[in-house]
Structure formats: C-alpha cells, structure tokens
C-alpha cells in the first residue's frame, strides 16, 4: 500500500513490477541529468557577458547535439521494449482466473475449480472493521497463489473497465466483447489493493480490487474466500 508523502512507487510483489521500477529509475536518472544540464546552460547564458565568435559556426558541436539525443532515446527504448515483451509473455500458467467488470463491481470465476463464481463489492463505511481501508475493502477478496504463474482473463459486461493492481505491475483493460489476458507470478504473501483505472461511470471510484496472496500449498487445498 502507498503511504502519505510517498515519492516512489509501491513495493514490487512480482518480477514484472521489479523490472518496471528498475526502468523507472533508469529513465528518471536520464531525465534528471538532461534537466540539470539544460538548467546549467541556461543559467550560464543568462549570467555571463562573455561572447565568443567561434561558437557561431561549430560543426563538431552540431554533430554532437544531433547524435547524442538519438543515443539517449535508444538507451531508453531498448529496456522499454524488453519489458513490453515480458508483460505479453505467457508461460504455461498453473491457474486461470476470469475477471468480469460490471457497473460497479467485479465478478471472479475460478475456471480450474468447477466454475466457482462470486461477486466482489466494495464494503460501505458502516461495515468496515477497525483497520480496514475506506473505499478499498471488499466483501469477497480474490485469493491467488504465490510462486506460481497465474493467468487472468479479463473482460467486461457493460462499459470499459481496467483491472489494476500496482504492486503486481498489472493493468489490463476490460472491454465488452473482448477477452484480454495477462499473467503474473507473485513472490510473497499478503493483501494487495487496486482500483478500476478506466473511467466507467458515476461510481467509477467505488469498485476496488483486493487480492489476497497465499502460499501455493494452502491454495491447492481449495480457494479460501475472506469476508
């Protein structure tokens, strides 16, 4: 979960999110260096009165400031493309769970457990227990195993939604008439929160996602749903 005045991203729970955080730091460092360089040049031009006629025609300098931005773009694009292909890679998932977006709740179907289906609604404030998070807690959490590849099949029954859990590095659109899929492998147990990330109507802010990650041995005994 994020905390107040947090500057960085949420802690990673999957290898994909670890890659995304590393790429964020990589790109942020490049942008910071460019920004400081531009600010230094601007401040130097504005504060100095020295002039030099030699800089009015400098072929070497023009060559450098033409090639250097291309090199920087390549340094950003290559790791970005690598992560893009990693997020689309499907590696023999051990479990498949279907998520269906509605206005304004989620339906989950465990296709590997005889078509077990349940709905997940946001808990109203009157039903919250001490320590529960307002606008983020649900009546039925989706229970997922750790250390096993899980495939999420995501669709919608009415309008556009988006199934998103930042800690897992997941954000997949739920589109009516289309079945999107994504895979992930969680690395540690816990309760992780997300929300619909696509404006889907008046109650868009009231359809949270709560994933409870448990050890694989416990999950294999049968899905456990917490109320």
């Amino acid at each position: 979960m994020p905390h107040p005045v947090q500057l960085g991203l949420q802690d990673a729970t999957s290898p994909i999110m670890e890659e995304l955080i590393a790429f964020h730091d990589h790109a942020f460092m490049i942008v910071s260096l460019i920004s400081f360089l531009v600010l230094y040049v601007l401040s130097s031009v504005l504060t100095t009165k020295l002039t030099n006629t030699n800089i009015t025609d400098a072929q070497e300098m023009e060559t450098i400031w033409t090639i250097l931005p291309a090199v920087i773009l390549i340094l950003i694009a290559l790791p970005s493309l690598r992560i893009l292909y990693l997020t689309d890679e499907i590696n023999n998932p051990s479990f498949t769970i279907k998520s269906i977006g509605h206005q304004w709740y989620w339906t989950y179907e465990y296709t590997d457990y005889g078509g077990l289906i349940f709905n997940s609604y946001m808990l109203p404030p009157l039903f919250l227990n001490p320590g529960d998070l307002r606008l983020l807690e649900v009546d039925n959490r989706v229970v997922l195993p750790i250390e096993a590849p899980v495939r999420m099949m995501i669709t919608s029954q009415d309008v556009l939604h988006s199934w998103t859990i930042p800690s897992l590095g997941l954000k997949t659109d739920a589109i009516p008439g289309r079945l999107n899929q994504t895979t992930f492998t969680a690395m540690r147990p816990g309760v992780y929160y997300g929300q619909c990330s696509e404006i889907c109507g008046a109650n868009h802010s009231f359809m949270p996602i709560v994933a409870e990650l448990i050890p694989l041995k416990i999950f294999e005994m049968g899905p456990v749903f917490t109320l």
Side-chain angles (χ1 to χ4, degrees), residues 1-2 9-14 16-18 20 97 99 106 108 136 138 141-144 150 152 154 162-173 182-184 186 190-197 207-213:
M1 279 295 299
L9 302 174
Q10 297 184 30
D11 293 338
T13 313
S14 66
I16 290 296
M17 190 57 189
E18 291 178 353
L20 290 172
I97 300 174
S99 175
W106 295 95
Y108 297 101
L136 286 177
V138 297
R141 298 172 176 174
V142 56
V143 181
L144 304 169
V150 178
M152 293 295 302
I154 301 168
S162 184
W163 201 82
T164 304
I165 299 182
S167 294
L168 293 172
L170 297 178
K171 185 180 184 299
T172 303
D173 288 342
T182 184
T183 60
F184 67 92
V191 179
Y192 300 93
Y193 295 86
Q195 289 180 301
C196 175
S197 297
M207 50 182 305
I209 303 162
V210 183
E212 183 172 348
L213 304 180

Side-chain angles (χ1 to χ4, degrees), residues 145-157:
I146 65 172
E147 298 178 346
V150 178
R151 175 172 59 183
M152 293 295 302
M153 311 292 290
I154 301 168
T155 187
S156 173
Q157 203 170 41

Side-chain angles (χ1 to χ4, degrees), residues 84-194:
L84 182 63
Y85 280 101
L86 286 176
T87 56
D88 287 338
E89 191 172 353
I90 308 297
N91 289 325
N92 297 324
S94 301
F95 303 96
T96 299
I97 300 174
K98 187 177 181 181
S99 175
I100 305 172
H102 306 269
Q103 290 181 314
W104 288 270
Y105 63 96
W106 295 95
T107 298
Y108 297 101
E109 179 180 349
Y110 286 71
T111 58
D112 298 322
Y113 288 86
L116 177 63
I117 303 175
F118 64 92
N119 297 326
S120 180
Y121 292 87
M122 185 194 74
L123 282 179
L126 293 176
F127 292 89
L128 293 177
N129 297 318
D132 288 344
L133 299 173
R134 179 177 174 271
L135 301 182
L136 286 177
E137 198 59 64
V138 297
D139 55 354
N140 293 312
R141 298 172 176 174
V142 56
V143 181
L144 304 169
I146 65 172
E147 298 178 346
V150 178
R151 175 172 59 183
M152 293 295 302
M153 311 292 290
I154 301 168
T155 187
S156 173
Q157 203 170 41
D158 37 48
V159 298
L160 291 177
H161 300 281
S162 184
W163 201 82
T164 304
I165 299 182
S167 294
L168 293 172
L170 297 178
K171 185 180 184 299
T172 303
D173 288 342
I175 303 174
R178 180 183 178 91
L179 193 63
N180 292 330
Q181 67 175 350
T182 184
T183 60
F184 67 92
T185 302
M187 303 308 296
R188 62 176 187 269
V191 179
Y192 300 93
Y193 295 86

